[in-house]
Amino acid sequence: MAVTEAPERPANRRKAVRTLVANTAVALLTAVTLVPLIWMVTVSFMPRGESSRFPPPFWPSRWSWENYHELLVRRLIDGAWFDYRIVPALWNSVAIAAISTALGLLLTVPAGYAFAKLRFTGRERLLRVLIAALVVPGQVAMLPLFLMFRELGLVNSYAGVILPGLAGIFAILFVRQACLRIPDEMIDAARMDGASEARIFVSIVLPLLAPITVTLALFLFLGSWNDFLWPLIVLSDQHRYTLPVAVAAIVREHAADGELMMAAAVVTTLPVLALFVALQRYYMRGLLGGSVKG
């Protein structure tokens, strides 16, 4: 017994050391990621000017809501009502991101399924064109897109913000890759039973793609929510500003007010963070592709 245990003990110790090193590395990476976010939240509750001290404090000397009050509450100044229009911009972003996500799913999920499982003329050639288009930066198309939208009367409108991102190439290829894992025999059997392509897609494919669809919905929502450059270009009316554009407008005027800027960053981050936490289980299943077995 002693002879067989001797080689195992060093191996077990090496395994324990590797596990400890891996867990320590993960903990350090997590701390590197979370500490700036925690500091962002704590600074947003600091009294005005406290974060500009050196070294900057991590915890506020006095927890205060004044930054959020100034940012979110409409108030009377010199006989006129004033606010930073963060709340209207927040609702604009929620509406635009929700509509963009719903319409994006409606277009990209069937398209990805078609590229994976349906046979039509020019499919492979069109697929190669889509893959090649991925390397083209989106900023290249913004000027001609803006000129086109100006001719169509879509500048300074919500439709002008939403339309360019509806049929994203990444979303189509993401769904296509997931659909390739669905066994062809399952779809062929449904066709032999007389099911239409629409019935197959709704009753068979969509349930299998549920985690993938939720993951893609998160990607689309976050992409629309965080989009700054295109709304900045296409929107000129501040009443139509999305949240990133409204926050950028505040930064131009109050760049030195770190506490106010951190409060604006928290307001921008909190909704999408809550959405991610609520859908995290589906998100991880979608990334791992565990819902569809080949």
Side-chain angles (χ1 to χ4, degrees):
M1 179 66 70
V3 176
T4 58
E5 287 181 355
E8 293 179 359
R9 290 176 180 173
N12 291 336
R13 284 196 294 268
R14 286 194 296 270
K15 183 178 180 180
V17 170
R18 286 196 298 268
T19 302
L20 179 61
V21 170
N23 291 338
T24 303
V26 170
L28 289 175
L29 290 175
T30 303
V32 169
T33 303
L34 291 181
V35 167
L37 296 177
I38 297 173
W39 189 71
M40 175 184 73
V41 175
T42 58
V43 169
S44 70
F45 288 100
M46 290 181 182
R48 190 62 60 86
E50 185 172 351
S51 65
S52 60
R53 296 185 313 188
F54 186 82
F58 192 83
W59 297 105
S61 59
R62 174 177 59 86
W63 292 84
S64 171
W65 288 92
E66 63 179 326
N67 300 306
Y68 291 97
H69 184 273
E70 179 176 349
L71 189 68
L72 301 175
V73 177
R74 193 182 187 196
R75 56 199 182 279
L76 192 64
I77 299 178
D78 296 331
W81 288 101
F82 172 80
D83 69 291
Y84 289 106
R85 303 206 61 80
I86 287 295
V87 174
L90 175 64
W91 290 116
N92 290 341
S93 287
V94 169
I96 290 173
I99 295 173
S100 299
T101 302
L103 294 180
L105 291 176
L106 188 64
L107 294 175
T108 57
V109 174
Y113 167 73
F115 275 108
K117 295 300 182 182
L118 301 183
R119 301 291 183 265
F120 54 88
T121 304
R123 186 188 71 165
E124 299 301 326
R125 188 175 303 172
L126 184 56
L127 182 61
R128 287 194 293 267
V129 171
L130 291 179
I131 295 174
L134 279 176
V135 302
V136 180
Q139 292 80 0
V140 173
M142 286 187 176
L143 178 58
L145 193 62
F146 175 80
L147 297 176
M148 184 187 307
F149 277 25
R150 188 179 64 181
E151 294 299 323
L152 295 174
L154 296 177
V155 172
N156 196 31
S157 67
Y158 295 137
V161 178
I162 293 171
L163 287 177
L166 291 186
I169 298 174
F170 169 79
I172 294 173
L173 298 179
F174 184 72
V175 176
R176 174 186 176 272
Q177 196 63 29
C179 289
L180 289 176
R181 300 191 180 193
I182 300 177
D184 292 333
E185 294 80 5
M186 184 185 301
I187 297 176
D188 292 337
R191 288 171 180 160
M192 292 180 63
D193 290 339
S196 64
E197 293 297 334
R199 178 66 181 274
I200 292 172
F201 178 73
V202 172
S203 300
I204 297 177
V205 176
L206 279 184
L208 292 175
L209 293 180
I212 300 295
T213 303
V214 173
T215 303
L216 180 59
L218 276 174
F219 285 154
L220 295 176
F221 191 92
L222 291 175
S224 177
W225 182 273
N226 295 326
D227 191 14
F228 167 72
L229 186 56
W230 177 247
L232 178 65
I233 292 173
V234 78
L235 295 176
S236 58
D237 184 0
Q238 66 173 353
H239 294 84
R240 299 176 184 269
Y241 278 176
T242 59
L243 195 54
V245 179
V247 171
I250 298 174
V251 171
R252 288 196 296 266
E253 300 178 3
H254 301 273
D257 297 333
E259 298 80 11
L260 185 66
M261 294 302 96
M262 291 301 180
V266 171
V267 172
T268 304
T269 306
L270 193 59
V272 292
L273 182 61
L275 181 65
F276 177 81
V277 171
L279 300 178
Q280 182 181 10
R281 177 166 59 94
Y282 298 99
Y283 173 78
M284 296 307 299
R285 287 176 57 192
L287 286 183
L288 297 175
S291 62
V292 179
K293 301 296 183 181

